[in-house]
Amino acid sequence: RELQGAKARGQWVLVDYYADWCASCKIMEKNVFAKAETLQALNGVRLLRLDVTADNDASRALLGRFNVPGPPTLVWIAPDGSERRDRRITGEVDLEGFLQHWETTRGSG
């Protein structure tokens, strides 16, 4: 539903796979997603955090939706509704790396 709504509005979507036990997720939450630069850069982007903390069928289904091995993984969905698979981030990234990656991704879509 969220992806369909974003496509209808021509919005980028950032799907953030997160887990409470993921140390890199917590570092990125503090050093990337809590920063004003990130919030400004992602203005107008629909952010979807998928919590895959539990090892259950629901988490496995969420991971399977985009064939994600585990958190942290960031999946970019372009305004046309397609994943920009080549722009996916798997693993920890710092603020500068994230912002550069998003700038390149936005320019490709």
Side-chain angles (χ1 to χ4, degrees), residues 25-26 49 61 66 71-74 95:
C25 296
K26 292 183 182 292
R49 171 170 276 177
F66 291 106
T73 300
L74 302 174
L95 177 63

Side-chain angles (χ1 to χ4, degrees), residues 1-4 15 17 48 50 52 57-69 75 77 81-83 85 88:
R1 184 179 74 230
E2 291 288 331
L3 294 177
Q4 290 172 341
V15 182
Y17 282 87
L48 300 178
L50 302 183
V52 293
D57 290 342
S59 289
R60 285 188 286 280
L62 289 172
L63 290 165
R65 172 70 171 86
F66 291 106
N67 198 24
V68 169
V75 175
I77 308 297
S82 66
E83 179 191 355
R85 180 75 184 234
R88 181 183 285 197

